[in-house]
Every structure is written in C-alpha cells, then in structure tokens.
Amino acid sequence: MRRRLTIPPFLLCVCVYACYIVTKPICIDYLIRPLPKYSRGSRVGAGIAILVIFYVLIFVVIITYLRLLYNITRNPGFLPRSSPPTKEQQETEPSERPQRRKRKHRRTRTAEKPDKTDIDIERGADGNADGGAIPLDNTGLESFYTKDVFVCQEDGRPLYCSTCCRYKPDRAHHCREVDRCVLKMDHFCPWVGGVVSETSFKFFIQFVFYTLIFCVFSLIICATFTAEIIQDTGGANVHLAIGIGLSSLFGLFSFGMTISSLQLAMWNLSTIENLNRRSAVWTLAIRVPDRMLARLNPESRWAPTFRTITYPLPPVPLSPEAARDYQPPEKQHVFAILQTLPGENPFDLGSPFKNLQQVLGYSIIDWFLPLRQSPCADRTTGDSFYELGPVVSRLKKEAGLNPPPESQPTTQNDTERKHKRRRSSHRRSQE
C-alpha cells in the first residue's frame, strides 16, 4: 500500500519537471525568445514543433499509465479465496496427507507446483505453503470439467492452491505480495503498486512502449541543445543535464521492459512461466469424445494408452455402505490425462503474430490504443480457459481423441470463419 501511495506522485513530479525542462529552458529561453547570453536568433517554428510533439507524447504516456493503474486497482484479476478446511474435514481425509508429502519431494520440474505457492518474482525463490490437505469435494470443479481441456495434476484434478484453499484455473499463480491467486499473473509491478496480470499486461506493454518513445525524444532534445549551449557559452544548463540523466535512466528501463514483454507476448508466456519454459512439463486433462467412451469399457479389447478421470467426482467422505449404494450421475465427463514434452507450451498458437494478438488484440487500433481488454481475458468461449495451440492438437492425435475427419474443418475458409467468430464474440463482450 505504501508503494501504491508514493510511486505515482513521484512519477507525476518527474513528468512535471520534464515539462518544465522542455518548455522553459529549451523552447522559451533558447528557441522562441532566446536570452541575451545566447548569440542565436529566434526559432519559433522549431520551438512550437518540439512543444507539440513533447506534450502529445507525455499525454499518451499519462493516459496509458492511468489505464494500467485503473486495471490493476479495479480489475486486477484476483481469484476469490475460500475458507480453509475445518478440523473435521482434515481428520476425515488422512489419505491425502501422504500423497501431499510425497509430491513435495518430487524432483521433476513441472509447469506448476500443485500444493505450493508459486514462484515469487520479487524474491526469486520458491514459496512453501503450510496449508491443509486437499479437500476431495466437488466445490468449484464444475467450471473445469464442463470444458474440453484444462491444466491438471497427475491424478487429473485441477491445480490447487493450499493458501487460498481453492482450485486454480489454467495459468493462475499465487502472488505473495497480495496473498491472492491471480489469473495469468505476470509480475508484481512496484511502479503501479500492484500485480500485472491478464487484465493489465496489454496496457503495461503499451505504457512501457510509449514511455520508451517519450524518453528517446526527450534525450535527443536535451542532448542536442546541451551541445549547442556548450558551443555558444562554454557552459551547460543544469536542468538540461538532469533531463539527460532522467531520460537515459527511464529510457533504459523502459527499453528492457518493452523488449522482454513483447518477447513473452510473442511466446504466449508469462514471466513466471518463462522461468522454466525449457524444462516445464504441462499435464492436461483432455475430454474423451462420447464415441470413444464405449471403448474404455473394461470388457473392451481396446486398451487406451492414457489414464483417465471421470467427473463429477463422488462425494467424500463415503462410508462403505454409502459407497456401495452410490449411483453416479447420468451425465459424466471423462478426461484423458496427457503430458507435454519438456519445454512444450500448450498455449503457443504456432506463430508469434497469433500469440501477440491474444495479448494486444486483433486490430491495429487495439495494438496502439488502451481501449479494449486483451482477447486472452475473454471468458465467453467454453472450450478451454485459454486458446490452445498445435501441441494440444498433437496430443489429441497421438491419443486418438480427434473427431472424425468429416467433422473437422476441411478448408482454410472454415478455419478463418472460426477465428472471425471468436473475434466478434470478444468485441461484443467488450462492448
């Protein structure tokens, strides 16, 4: 909270001081109405042009910063916390404790750690949660098994945060700074005092990009006229020297953040996911088509090459009598549990441009203006939490889960129409 209260006023002071440097010492005292100590004529046109470009750039920087600050404050992408398991629930679930301890000693690196808080970007260390056992009930599971694909643990259940006591959607991470799970968390940004997530990553990219352009322009202006003043008077203006320092400092920072953020967007990764992207193994629950359910019957001669899990899960705890009398619901959802190869990203859509569209939008206006949310934050499509790429298609093909050939798109126009429907759905949700 202290950061959120102090850093925005500090940045406002920097902007005000930058306006003073360019307006008074450069444009008014040196170009438009030169002081007597400068042996140069008036250059009104150059002074006005510099003022117009400068204030247009700083206006864009301020607008993108306010849009970023608004989303981080009002729409941060936090997931609600659930109540921790009661003592009675923990006592009735002793079978989960050995499984949890065993999982804590696994050495294989996965895309997420099911029962630990996620990597803390500020500290660069793994966080250990001292939460209770995983509750084996159906609370919150319906939003997962009604989809076709979701990220899961090795037993087929969704990832679980033992701090927030809830199942986590795909790519959600627990942030230590705010002690909440965040949808597609990227990092905690001290400049806005909040978490950059799927709802604000687009505006963060736009902010650092326009800040870079603004700093480069300010650096060129300050350096150019500092050189002229030194040549004319033999001394430098202290305000212009400070302007060179500030524009260089913020310019280097924004350059690094712009390059790294665009690179992550082109890979369709977050900063947390990028930390172990070369070795990460994603475990996915992929819906088994209804046409294949009969073949999964134990009496069938066909033996699947994958493990399965069936939802809804039976209620727990079940006494022996209740387990004997339990009748599963008529509508069941069977999922295959499949794993990617190390370093494969199931959310990579196959091309940097398509990945950028998921963050920045489908039009040039969306790329450069901080108006609409990122398409990846659209929750109107029910197939999965995020659009999936060729890796998932390959897993389905290898497991024999693809639909029959006649139900697949046979032309490029069919695929284009599918993408157009997704884009129009996203625009309607934004409006």
Side-chain angles (χ1 to χ4, degrees):
M1 180 62 68
R2 185 177 300 176
R3 291 177 179 176
R4 186 174 296 177
L5 294 176
T6 57
I7 291 184
F10 168 74
L11 295 179
L12 177 62
C13 293
V14 172
C15 291
V16 171
Y17 185 61
C19 293
Y20 168 78
I21 293 174
V22 173
T23 304
K24 188 70 167 63
I26 294 179
C27 292
I28 295 179
D29 293 345
Y30 186 72
L31 294 175
I32 298 177
R33 292 183 300 179
L35 297 177
K37 63 179 180 179
Y38 302 126
S39 57
R40 287 182 176 271
S42 176
R43 290 176 283 180
V44 178
I48 294 177
I50 290 174
L51 286 175
V52 170
I53 297 175
F54 176 84
Y55 280 101
V56 167
L57 289 177
I58 199 171
F59 174 77
V60 174
V61 169
I62 292 175
I63 290 298
T64 53
Y65 180 76
L66 292 177
R67 186 68 163 98
L68 172 63
L69 188 64
Y70 174 82
N71 266 57
I72 286 180
T73 305
R74 306 293 296 179
N75 186 22
F78 292 166
L79 292 172
R81 299 192 64 161
S82 300
S83 301
T86 62
K87 185 176 180 180
E88 291 75 12
Q89 289 175 327
Q90 295 181 6
E91 290 176 352
T92 56
E93 297 166 1
S95 60
E96 281 299 297
R97 297 185 184 277
Q99 182 181 5
R100 184 170 184 265
R101 287 197 294 266
K102 179 179 178 181
R103 198 179 293 127
K104 285 179 68 175
H105 288 85
R106 289 182 59 87
R107 295 185 179 182
T108 56
R109 299 182 67 184
T110 57
E112 290 200 6
K113 301 176 178 60
D115 294 328
K116 296 180 181 180
T117 51
D118 294 303
I119 296 173
D120 187 334
I121 293 301
E122 293 295 312
R123 297 179 177 84
D126 290 344
N128 295 323
D130 297 325
I134 297 177
L136 284 177
D137 58 16
N138 293 344
T139 304
L141 287 178
E142 187 174 359
S143 61
F144 293 88
Y145 64 73
T146 52
K147 298 186 180 298
D148 291 340
V149 184
F150 61 88
V151 179
C152 66
Q153 304 177 48
E154 293 182 1
D155 60 0
R157 286 178 294 143
L159 299 172
Y160 186 85
C161 177
S162 56
T163 302
C164 294
C165 300
R166 62 161 293 138
Y167 291 103
K168 300 190 299 182
D170 297 357
R171 313 182 78 177
H173 297 268
H174 188 86
C175 177
R176 287 183 175 181
E177 296 285 347
V178 297
D179 198 27
R180 293 281 291 276
C181 283
V182 186
L183 290 170
K184 197 185 174 186
M185 173 185 170
D186 190 81
H187 67 282
F188 185 88
C189 180
W191 296 105
V192 289
V195 182
V196 176
S197 64
E198 68 171 15
T199 62
S200 53
F201 188 49
K202 166 186 175 178
F203 307 121
F204 178 79
I205 293 178
Q206 292 174 334
F207 167 64
V208 294
F209 172 72
Y210 286 120
T211 301
L212 173 61
I213 296 177
F214 171 74
C215 290
V216 170
F217 177 78
S218 301
L219 178 61
I220 292 175
I221 295 301
C222 292
T224 299
F225 292 110
T226 296
E228 287 188 7
I229 292 174
I230 292 176
Q231 184 178 3
D232 291 344
T233 64
N237 187 298
V238 64
H239 296 292
L240 270 63
I242 295 176
I244 293 175
L246 289 175
S247 56
S248 300
L249 176 63
F250 286 99
L252 288 174
F253 172 78
S254 57
F255 173 77
M257 294 303 299
T258 301
I259 296 300
S260 62
S261 299
L262 287 175
Q263 187 179 51
L264 290 174
M266 292 170 66
W267 292 341
N268 205 347
L269 291 172
S270 65
T271 300
I272 295 177
E273 295 165 349
N274 185 53
L275 294 177
N276 63 340
R277 66 181 178 88
R278 297 185 184 277
S279 59
V281 176
W282 295 82
T283 304
L284 303 174
I286 301 179
R287 182 182 298 276
V288 177
D290 293 339
R291 61 183 176 83
M292 293 185 60
L293 295 180
R295 301 176 65 184
L296 295 178
N297 192 301
E299 299 178 356
S300 175
R301 296 181 179 179
W302 180 74
T305 59
F306 48 80
R307 294 177 290 115
T308 62
I309 184 172
T310 302
Y311 289 95
L313 297 177
V316 291
L318 280 179
S319 62
E321 295 78 10
R324 187 169 52 252
D325 299 335
Y326 172 72
Q327 295 293 330
E330 295 182 1
K331 178 61 176 178
Q332 292 186 313
H333 307 263
V334 182
F335 288 83
I337 304 172
L338 305 176
Q339 286 188 326
T340 66
L341 296 176
E344 287 187 326
N345 177 17
F347 305 102
D348 185 357
L349 302 184
S351 71
F353 180 73
K354 290 181 179 179
N355 291 335
L356 279 173
Q357 284 183 321
Q358 286 296 299
V359 176
L360 298 179
Y362 295 114
S363 66
I364 297 297
I365 295 178
D366 291 336
W367 282 42
F368 291 97
L369 295 182
L371 300 176
R372 296 172 177 167
Q373 287 280 4
S374 299
C376 66
D378 180 19
R379 292 290 179 267
T380 58
T381 57
D383 296 342
S384 58
F385 287 100
Y386 297 93
E387 191 168 349
L388 302 169
V391 172
V392 178
S393 300
R394 194 204 80 234
L395 291 176
K396 289 182 178 180
K397 182 178 180 181
E398 292 176 350
L401 301 178
N402 280 334
E406 59 270 12
S407 64
Q408 292 181 346
T410 56
T411 64
Q412 184 177 3
N413 292 333
D414 295 332
T415 305
E416 291 178 354
R417 283 195 294 268
K418 179 181 177 181
H419 286 292
K420 287 181 179 179
R421 286 195 298 267
R422 293 179 67 93
R423 295 173 187 175
S424 61
S425 175
H426 170 67
R427 293 192 183 98
R428 287 195 299 270
S429 64
Q430 294 295 331
E431 294 174 355

